[in-house]
Amino acid sequence: MQIPFPPEMMSVKKWHVFKAKLPPRSDSEHRIIVVYKHLNNVKYFYVTSKIENAYKMAKYDINSIVRLNVSDWDALTKESCIQCNKRHLYQTDEESFKQACASGEYERLGEVPEKIKNAIIHAIRMSKSFTEAEKDALQ
């Protein structure tokens, strides 16, 4: 059993991964990748195994998708993808995030492997949905 940290002692860092019932209204847990943290804002993408749906939704922004094989990352249980576009960038406040971690709702999984991090940065850069300023902030 994991001993929860008090929320005030916990830190939420960029490029860290959590397992949580996110994005909002999600019925299942996803791997959440924090890609932006500033002051009290935390922005994240999530990993999904619904690859075909992701490509259908991003048909005009295909380069914003990072495709992942199980061999790419030991945190994966099946082939997945990350939709790195504005529509799939979610935000929460850091305090709520910390409280959820402290209560056991979210589980910290560690850091994003460098290969995946670089693929996400490349997909953000290639996405048609972000402005240049937003792309710079998300790197």
Side-chain angles (χ1 to χ4, degrees):
M1 186 167 117
Q2 190 175 359
I3 299 172
F5 280 106
E8 61 276 1
M9 291 185 67
M10 196 172 189
S11 65
V12 177
K13 296 180 181 176
K14 186 175 177 178
W15 300 116
H16 278 216
V17 183
F18 297 83
K19 190 173 182 182
K21 278 195 178 179
L22 288 173
R25 297 178 299 285
S26 177
D27 292 333
S28 59
E29 290 185 325
H30 291 97
R31 279 128 188 98
I32 304 305
I33 300 172
V34 175
V35 293
Y36 177 88
K37 184 185 171 292
H38 180 69
L39 301 175
N40 196 35
N41 293 318
V42 176
K43 294 186 181 184
Y44 61 90
F45 292 123
Y46 69 97
V47 178
T48 181
S49 61
K50 296 180 181 175
I51 299 168
E52 288 181 31
N53 289 348
Y55 277 98
K56 285 178 188 174
M57 288 192 297
K59 66 181 175 181
Y60 299 112
D61 198 10
I62 294 292
N63 292 327
S64 67
I65 296 178
V66 174
R67 192 141 185 183
L68 304 168
N69 293 309
V70 176
S71 61
D72 294 332
W73 190 10
D74 60 359
L76 298 177
T77 57
K78 56 181 138 182
E79 190 175 357
S80 303
C81 70
I82 305 165
Q83 300 165 87
C84 302
N85 55 48
K86 202 176 218 177
R87 182 175 179 204
H88 291 93
L89 180 64
Y90 293 90
Q91 180 173 317
T92 188
D93 66 281
E94 185 176 16
E95 232 14 78
S96 298
F97 204 92
K98 286 179 177 183
Q99 290 290 339
C101 288
S103 68
E105 292 176 64
Y106 302 173
E107 176 187 356
R108 184 187 298 262
L109 299 178
E111 291 187 47
V112 177
E114 197 67 26
K115 178 181 176 182
I116 308 288
K117 176 183 168 182
N118 291 334
I120 291 169
I121 290 170
H122 179 73
I124 290 168
R125 283 271 177 254
M126 297 303 294
S127 177
K128 297 175 182 178
S129 66
F130 294 113
T131 65
E132 289 303 315
E134 290 170 325
K135 290 175 182 181
D136 290 343
L138 290 171
Q139 289 191 61

